[in-house]
Amino acid sequence: GYDVIEEDDDNLIDNIRKQNLASERNNFIQSAFLTFFIMVISMSGHGWYDLKFSVNFSLMLQLLLTSYVVFVNGKKFLLGAYKSAKILRSDMNTLVSLGVLSSYVYSLVISANHILSLNISALKNSHEVYFETSAMIITLILIGNYLESVLKSKTQTSIKKLKELQAKFVNIIRNDEEMLVPFKKVRKKDVVIIRTGDKVPVDGIILDGFCVVDESAMTGESIMIEKKSADNLISGTLVKNGYVKMIAEKVGNDTTLSKIIALVKEASNSKPQIQRLADKISSIFVPVVISISLITFIAWYIIVDIPFDESLLFAVSVLVIACPCALGLASPMAVVIGVGR
């Protein structure tokens, strides 16, 4: 299911990155737009305005809008949870899906009972739906993901700028013959010719000549530095004036610039330690939460002897609140919902 992209194909990688970023932006804007209308509809009659919608029309409209947010805008979370479930594991996608689907399915059953006049006796006292909770969780997490992608995009831009410091082709003397070769074809002990305006392609020692070098990109030193025979030159620096012949000491991926680029890539692509810890905890947390939810339902319905629908609502509430993303991201909105209701 994956395609291979050559690491050197910077234009293709950049275009794919921009497309993905635009797609994520459009996705969260769509979700936010629809969630706003779901909130407006759900709060109607609870505050200073009333849309005068019939109950059935209001439920159907909320159901349609929320279904789009959950299954289209939030598709990647559900797919992630499904893939984790197939290998009997759980991660943050599982927690998000658990919180979203529990409130969605509960609201769906209540809506079906009203719209289709099913008259399910166990739900006769249940009238409130919580579609806005599902939509809001998805929207807030999408916003967070988009902001994360923007930061990663800036990192990729930095990597691109670092790569621009690398010379694409290098003048070398090999077998007493001067030739132009690609950067990756330079070998150790090759004699590299560097003229005014050239980027230093590899790390090495000046064999002959004199030059003035701008090393600000690598060392931060803004003052030009004079270099002569037996002095070191660092890849990624710029010869402002002069002509030198240099013995290549570090080439390819061993150059200073290449190592910096590799470190930046590794930092941007690796999963943060806190995220790895969260995934480990979630693999244990999910079954524990489901167990607590079942215990909650049994305790209220059998031991305390309250109605089925109220017991079910308490059990569903445990699932929603147990989702760290729902708790951390949706709690401000939960306060607004609570005040509105």
Side-chain angles (χ1 to χ4, degrees):
Y2 293 90
D3 295 323
V4 176
I5 299 175
E6 293 295 333
E7 188 178 14
D8 293 334
D9 198 345
D10 292 330
N11 290 331
L12 178 59
I13 293 173
D14 193 47
N15 288 334
I16 292 174
R17 176 175 56 80
K18 288 179 179 178
Q19 290 174 5
N20 290 340
L21 191 62
S23 176
E24 285 197 33
R25 182 181 64 246
N26 294 336
N27 198 32
F28 101 73
I29 288 175
Q30 271 187 12
S31 181
F33 183 76
L34 294 176
T35 299
F36 172 76
F37 283 104
I38 295 169
M39 290 291 298
V40 169
I41 296 168
S42 66
M43 295 294 107
S44 176
H46 293 279
W48 51 270
Y49 68 96
D50 190 349
L51 297 177
K52 305 298 183 182
F53 289 160
S54 67
V55 174
N56 284 354
F57 181 75
S58 175
L59 292 175
M60 288 180 64
L61 195 55
Q62 289 184 69
L63 174 60
L64 289 174
L65 295 177
T66 306
S67 296
Y68 188 90
V69 172
V70 171
F71 296 106
V72 178
N73 301 129
K75 178 175 67 175
K76 67 177 182 178
F77 305 122
L78 302 180
L79 286 176
Y82 170 70
K83 290 175 181 177
S84 295
K86 283 204 303 183
I87 57 175
L88 301 179
R89 296 191 63 180
S90 57
D91 55 16
M92 292 303 291
N93 287 319
T94 308
L95 292 173
V96 172
S97 301
L98 194 63
V100 169
L101 291 179
S102 56
S103 57
Y104 176 83
V105 172
Y106 176 85
S107 301
L108 175 63
V109 173
I110 299 300
S111 299
N113 190 43
H114 277 274
I115 296 171
L116 303 177
S117 301
L118 299 178
N119 297 321
I120 300 175
S121 58
L123 302 176
K124 63 182 179 181
N125 296 321
S126 298
H127 307 288
E128 297 288 350
V129 292
Y130 302 95
F131 287 119
E132 75 280 1
T133 301
S134 298
M136 185 58 68
I137 292 172
I138 292 291
T139 298
L140 292 175
I141 297 173
L142 286 175
I143 293 174
N145 285 356
Y146 173 68
L147 294 176
E148 181 184 3
S149 296
V150 169
L151 292 176
K152 285 186 177 180
S153 177
K154 290 181 179 179
T155 303
Q156 295 300 321
T157 301
S158 300
I159 293 173
K160 185 179 179 182
K161 288 181 179 178
L162 284 172
K163 283 188 173 183
E164 289 173 356
L165 297 174
Q166 285 181 329
K168 302 298 182 184
F169 295 93
V170 184
N171 276 307
I172 66 170
I173 296 176
R174 187 181 293 168
N175 300 324
D176 297 325
E177 181 182 349
E178 183 175 335
M179 60 183 70
L180 190 67
V181 299
F183 161 74
K184 290 191 174 181
K185 297 293 184 180
V186 179
R187 305 171 189 165
K188 280 186 177 183
K189 304 304 178 181
D190 275 342
V191 177
V192 180
I193 299 174
I194 306 173
R195 299 180 173 89
T196 299
D198 287 349
K199 300 167 185 173
V200 178
V202 295
D203 296 359
I205 300 173
I206 295 176
L207 180 66
D208 182 32
F210 174 86
C211 64
V212 178
V213 183
D214 178 5
E215 295 187 343
S216 58
M218 301 305 295
T219 65
E221 176 58 66
S222 59
I223 299 175
M224 304 297 172
I225 300 175
E226 295 180 352
K227 298 281 187 176
K228 60 184 185 301
S229 179
D231 286 343
N232 292 320
L233 286 178
I234 308 171
S235 56
T237 57
L238 179 66
V239 173
K240 286 292 188 179
N241 190 20
Y243 173 91
V244 295
K245 292 180 180 179
M246 178 184 74
I247 297 292
E249 295 291 334
K250 293 181 180 179
V251 298
N253 294 330
D254 292 329
T255 66
T256 301
L257 181 58
S258 294
K259 287 181 178 179
I260 291 173
I261 292 172
L263 286 172
V264 175
K265 280 184 178 179
E266 184 180 354
S268 64
N269 293 330
S270 61
K271 184 181 288 189
Q273 182 65 32
I274 187 65
Q275 189 173 348
R276 290 197 293 267
L277 177 62
D279 286 340
K280 288 180 181 178
I281 293 174
S282 65
S283 64
I284 302 171
F285 189 62
V286 171
V288 170
V289 166
I290 294 175
S291 300
I292 293 173
S293 178
L294 291 173
I295 293 171
T296 300
F297 175 79
I298 294 170
W300 283 101
Y301 185 59
I302 297 177
I303 300 175
V304 182
D305 195 25
I306 68 169
F308 175 86
D309 53 345
E310 291 186 40
S311 302
L312 182 62
L313 180 59
F314 294 156
V316 170
S317 298
V318 170
L319 295 177
V320 175
I321 296 174
C323 171
C325 298
L327 183 61
L329 295 174
S331 53
M333 189 51 63
V335 173
V336 176
I337 295 171
V339 173
R341 291 193 186 279

